[in-house]
Amino acid sequence: MTAEPTSYGAEAIQVLEGLEAVRKRPGMYIGSTGPAGLHHMVYEIVDNSVDEAMAGHASDINVVLLANGGCEVSDNGRGIPVDPSTQDPDKSAAEVVLTVLHAGGKFGGGGYKVSGGLHGVGVSVVNALSSRVEVEIDREGSRHAMAFVDGGQLSEKLHVIGTSPVTADGSPRTGTTVRFWPDPTIFDEISFRATTLLERLQMMAFLNAGLRITFVDERPGATTEAVEYCYEGGIRDFVRHVNASKESLFSDVGYLRQAEEKDGESMEVEVAFQWNTGYHSDGLHSFANGINTIEGGMHEEGFKKALTNTVNRYAREHQLLKEKEDNLQGEDIREGLTAIVSVRLTEPQFEGQTKAKLGNVPMRSLVERATNEKLAEWLEEHPSEAKRVLQKALQAARAREAARNAREATRRKSALDGAGLPGKLADCSSKDPREAELYIVEGNSAGGSAKDARNSETMAILPIRGKILNVERARLERMLANTEIQALISAIGGGVGDEEFAAEKIRYGKVIIMCDADVDGSHIRTLLLTFFFRQMRPLVEQGHVFIAQPPLYSTEVGRNKVYLKDDAAKAAFLAQYPNHKNEFQRLKGLGEMDATELWETTMDPTRRTLLQVSVEQAAIADEVFSILMGDDVESRKTFIQSNAQDVRFLDI
Ligand code: 0RA
């Protein structure tokens, strides 16, 4: 943050529109009147303070959720100008800023060099959508105050209420405090969620190195503790933070920065990066003027292109790629990469579905040039890190190749051997996916019982080997080479992978996972859900995946075996047979039941209960899978230890 002395007063403020329009169509200005829009109000105010910080004039921003439902944002910037407005000498500039749309000084030039605020709508929009707004400004030695009610109606004209306190260096304090109470007639709900705000505030602190942001929740019953975010390392600390739960490939966080000025417009790019040992390729996060550009855009394109080029060039120059070997692909290089690309520019153009894609073309070449040049330098200066990055990317390329071969093998096999169905599959006679069901059964013996028990017209059985997870740390792609998984793919029949999977081709409308209620069963269930989540997501999204619920307990009444579904059933049973001998036994596995019992307790459509798997549940399984299979040995241990007791509910 470098100070940028500009003469800037009331004259730079342009009048564009009144506040009425905002109240009529709030969604146009803040996106929605739901929770997202409500929180946007806070961001809008905070963004103004951050702008002040980015221009080098503020170091501290404090956010308080007030006990009476309001939100207070204060900063130690220059203070909103208090002199008479040039447009209307009867009004202070501050009043204009609060009541005229787009009067923040960000528009019409001469104001900030760069500015944030996704919609850049400014404080006036917040005023329009609040039942009350109070502003206090320390400027020119005096503390000024003004207030508005009912969506921007002036209730207290700007007036001096005292002298500003003196700061450590002896000069009077400057700064702005805005307090607002969202209008309950506009918003569906007006209570703020602390964690939502914290996420954003922390992000702002990461993106603005050295900026101190504090947060206090003063509402009665608040559980969130006061926090202070301040990162001297900026986006380098951001990368460290993201990688904290992962095992990084090396301890250094790479960093590069380049700025450029052209035709009075300034552009700046900053990149921080570090690889971890994980297998995801989605660790690239980009920002433009502090806004998370989740749809990417020119800055991301430039970075990806330069990253791929530079790493390939390095690999060739250092003979890590042989002459006849193919180049590494971008996704190979990005596997395990955590990178933050943050750019600032005078007039950002936001495009795309959610206006979260940066459209400024010159940004692509700036980021590309900066990355090409400085990443190459970084690789040369960090040979041991570079070597690890290359090893990882080469491994990823080999895995990608292996997965492709495996997919092709599966496809060829399906094309060649008749219907292409796996030998282990006991298919059903119905070919109508609306009634056909596939039971994926853990273990051959349970598979046998299930085959005997089933209704062969509508129920297909695919036994799956118990220990498929005991491959070394499973790279997901490697699963594709697993014969059990290949059998599963051919049985389901819709193909595999993001591009190929077609839900309309699936052979069964219900895919039912039937596993033991023990650790192995739970592992297999997690693995299968992860697999479906990552490789056949529409199957989950469209509600085709289910979990069978074999009973948890068995006991005997006289000569009859009784199965009890869960703890509630056990309690009900005990209530009915109070004198029953205390031998309520946990079932060890599906294999303990014979075909009739399996049918009656778990498979009979008129009696069974199936759990339908939602995308959220599958996503959780995916996360659990990452912990179980990932490299963070500590989390894995803790997780297994703390969940070993009730494994049945471990992952869903
Ligand atoms: C217009 C012009 C100037 C500063 C601001 C607005 C300003 C707005 C907000 C909103 C929250 N905090 C803020 N801090 C400053 C420039 C003033 C100058 O030239 O001294």
Side-chain angles (χ1 to χ4, degrees), residues 6 8 48-49 52 75 78-81 97 104 112 123 139 176:
T6 31
Y8 196 123
N48 279 285
S49 296
E52 195 61 7
D75 65 56
R78 289 167 297 179
I80 305 178
V97 167
Y112 297 131
V123 208
R139 201 175 153 102
T176 306

Side-chain angles (χ1 to χ4, degrees), residues 428-440:
C428 54
S429 50
S430 168
K431 298 285 168 252
D432 182 354
R434 281 171 303 183
E435 59 173 5
E437 300 177 345
L438 176 67
Y439 274 86
I440 305 165

Side-chain angles (χ1 to χ4, degrees), residues 23-264:
R23 288 181 67 81
K24 277 202 188 108
R25 308 181 71 182
M28 287 258 301
Y29 297 87
I30 52 160
S32 79
T33 53
L38 178 75
H39 292 92
H40 198 110
M41 299 268 277
V42 183
Y43 307 151
E44 203 55 59
I45 303 287
V46 172
D47 283 354
N48 279 285
S49 296
V50 171
D51 282 350
E52 195 61 7
M54 271 160 58
H57 303 293
S59 62
D60 288 69
I61 298 173
N62 309 303
V63 179
V64 184
L65 292 180
L66 302 166
N68 60 14
C71 172
E72 178 185 284
V73 179
S74 55
D75 65 56
N76 61 349
R78 289 167 297 179
I80 305 178
V82 293
D83 45 332
S85 151
T86 44
Q87 289 154 16
D88 185 346
D90 292 340
K91 290 181 179 171
S92 62
E95 184 181 332
V96 173
V97 167
L98 265 291
T99 54
V100 180
L101 224 52
H102 286 172
K106 297 178 192 174
F107 298 83
Y112 297 131
K113 290 192 77 172
V114 288
S115 72
L118 176 48
H119 307 285
V121 286
V123 208
S124 57
V125 165
V126 175
N127 196 13
L129 302 175
S130 295
S131 56
R132 181 172 180 81
V133 170
E134 299 172 358
V135 183
E136 275 162 36
I137 298 162
D138 279 321
R139 201 175 153 102
E140 292 156 19
S142 301
R143 178 160 292 180
H144 311 254
M146 70 178 156
F148 302 85
V149 293
D150 300 332
Q153 315 283 331
L154 186 71
S155 66
E156 268 177 59
K157 216 170 166 57
L158 191 74
H159 59 292
V160 173
I161 55 166
T163 50
S164 302
V166 174
T167 56
D169 71 1
S171 60
R173 177 190 190 272
T174 60
T176 306
T177 299
V178 176
R179 260 172 247 118
F180 72 95
W181 287 262
D183 190 335
T185 67
I186 299 271
F187 293 95
D188 308 341
E189 232 216 285
I190 53 164
S191 69
F192 300 104
R193 204 171 144 255
T195 42
T196 303
L197 297 176
L198 283 178
E199 234 167 71
R200 169 83 173 208
L201 295 178
Q202 185 176 33
M203 189 186 94
M204 296 309 252
F206 277 130
L207 292 174
N208 294 279
L211 174 62
R212 187 185 320 279
I213 302 183
T214 66
F215 174 86
V216 182
D217 191 347
E218 292 180 349
R219 295 171 301 178
T223 51
T224 310
E225 280 179 48
V227 261
E228 178 183 302
Y229 297 122
C230 183
Y231 302 101
E232 293 302 336
I235 60 171
R236 271 163 289 197
D237 289 337
F238 202 162
V239 167
R240 264 188 213 102
H241 172 78
V242 175
N243 270 349
S245 61
K246 307 180 169 89
E247 189 186 310
S248 55
L249 215 53
F250 43 82
S251 58
D252 194 58
V253 173
Y255 177 79
L256 60 92
R257 198 192 100 92
Q258 191 154 309
E260 199 177 86
E261 191 120 7
K262 219 180 186 177
D263 311 323

Side-chain angles (χ1 to χ4, degrees), residues 209-410:
L211 174 62
R212 187 185 320 279
I213 302 183
T214 66
F215 174 86
V216 182
D217 191 347
E218 292 180 349
R219 295 171 301 178
T223 51
T224 310
E225 280 179 48
V227 261
E228 178 183 302
Y229 297 122
C230 183
Y231 302 101
E232 293 302 336
I235 60 171
R236 271 163 289 197
D237 289 337
F238 202 162
V239 167
R240 264 188 213 102
H241 172 78
V242 175
N243 270 349
S245 61
K246 307 180 169 89
E247 189 186 310
S248 55
L249 215 53
F250 43 82
S251 58
D252 194 58
V253 173
Y255 177 79
L256 60 92
R257 198 192 100 92
Q258 191 154 309
E260 199 177 86
E261 191 120 7
K262 219 180 186 177
D263 311 323
E265 307 230 330
S266 59
M267 295 196 287
E268 184 196 316
V269 55
E270 260 189 302
V271 182
F273 55 92
Q274 189 184 47
W275 275 262
N276 60 61
T277 54
Y279 301 129
H280 292 283
S281 314
D282 56 0
L284 170 62
H285 306 279
S286 67
F287 299 84
N289 290 5
I291 288 145
N292 190 354
T293 36
I294 50 172
E295 295 181 77
M298 292 301 159
H299 51 342
E300 259 194 35
E301 275 182 31
F303 175 71
K304 284 184 181 171
K305 187 159 172 224
L307 175 72
T308 309
N309 277 343
T310 308
V311 171
N312 272 302
R313 197 157 12 101
Y314 181 89
R316 299 247 176 242
E317 278 165 14
H318 292 76
Q319 276 82 46
L320 297 161
L321 267 183
K322 309 264 152 42
E323 212 169 300
K324 49 182 190 304
E325 281 181 298
D326 282 341
N327 261 358
L328 294 161
Q329 293 193 1
E331 62 188 279
D332 302 331
I333 297 165
R334 291 196 301 276
E335 189 186 276
L337 171 70
T338 299
I340 306 288
V341 175
S342 170
V343 302
R344 301 189 190 285
L345 65 170
T346 317
E347 274 180 50
Q349 283 150 24
F350 292 106
E351 304 170 345
Q353 283 268 308
T354 57
K355 293 262 172 277
K357 182 176 181 183
L358 185 71
N360 304 62
V361 177
M363 203 33 113
R364 183 174 46 204
S365 64
L366 173 68
V367 179
E368 194 180 327
R369 267 182 287 124
T371 308
N372 269 330
E373 196 177 304
K374 306 217 158 143
L375 181 64
E377 268 170 38
W378 184 88
L379 290 169
E380 292 299 342
E381 285 163 13
H382 297 79
S384 77
E385 283 86 350
K387 197 171 147 204
R388 286 187 209 182
V389 170
L390 261 304
Q391 274 170 350
K392 177 147 178 61
L394 287 164
Q395 235 172 38
R398 280 193 288 271
R400 175 172 49 76
E401 194 60 19
R404 197 175 59 88
N405 290 340
R407 262 202 300 270
E408 257 167 31
T410 314

